[in-house]
């Protein structure tokens, strides 16, 4: 029985846990260690993933069947001139949760950097362990916590443009 991190205890670290793609894909032990990292830390950096098309689908299939969404099963996030979606610009992305406007948002999101030239600036990521934030909200503001956890609400996204011939919305 693996000991789990208490979710109300903040985890502050300067570095992410790291696993190797080849170990994860070729051995049960490597896969198990990677999944322990994801369970304990909520994330893991998987190094040495080949930068060939659709490789992340194979990684995803180690966990579960990939689930298609509005953008397809796999999609590229690249800077597009005059984009109305900040994800497709060179602008900094502030803290956010991907696709939280869906009734059932993704349980796991896999991101892969296929190209990162030496001349590229930026690319740093900041992540937040939401569990301690929620616990603090529950302790310090119980009425507001109750409202946020009990009152139904709906999110939606306004679409202004499409990214391909299939009219798949991007913003």
């Amino acid at each position: 029985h693996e000991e789990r991190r208490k979710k109300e205890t903040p985890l502050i670290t300067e570095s992410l846990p790291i696993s190797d793609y080849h170990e994860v894909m070729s051995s049960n032990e490597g896969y198990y260690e990677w999944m322990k990292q994801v369970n304990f830390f909520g994330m893991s950096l998987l190094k040495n993933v080949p930068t060939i098309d659709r490789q992340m689908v194979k990684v995803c299939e180690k966990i579960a069947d990939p689930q298609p969404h509005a953008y397809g099963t796999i999609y590229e996030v690249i800077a597009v001139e005059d984009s109305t979606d900040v994800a497709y610009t060179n602008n900094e992305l502030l803290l956010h949760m991907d696709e939280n406007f869906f009734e059932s948002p993704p349980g796991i999101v896999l991101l892969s950097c296929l190209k990162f030239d030496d001349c590229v600036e930026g690319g740093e990521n900041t992540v937040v362990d939401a569990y301690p934030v929620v616990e603090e909200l529950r302790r310090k503001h119980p009425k507001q916590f109750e409202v946020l956890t009990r009152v139904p609400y709906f999110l939606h996204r306004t679409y202004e443009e499409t990214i391909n011939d299939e009219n798949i919305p991007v913003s």
Side-chain angles (χ1 to χ4, degrees), residues 21 25 49-60 74 112 114:
Y21 165 84
M25 298 301 283
V49 178
T51 56
I52 56 176
D53 191 35
R54 306 200 52 85
Q55 194 61 43
M56 289 309 293
V57 172
K58 292 179 182 176
V59 174
C60 182
I74 296 264
S112 177
L114 296 178

Side-chain angles (χ1 to χ4, degrees), residues 23-43:
E23 292 175 17
V24 167
M25 298 301 283
S26 66
S27 76
N28 288 336
E29 294 81 12
Y31 173 72
Y32 177 70
E33 289 302 316
W34 182 47
M35 288 292 94
K36 276 185 11 184
Q37 291 174 355
V38 170
N39 183 56
F40 187 82
F41 294 99
M43 67 193 73

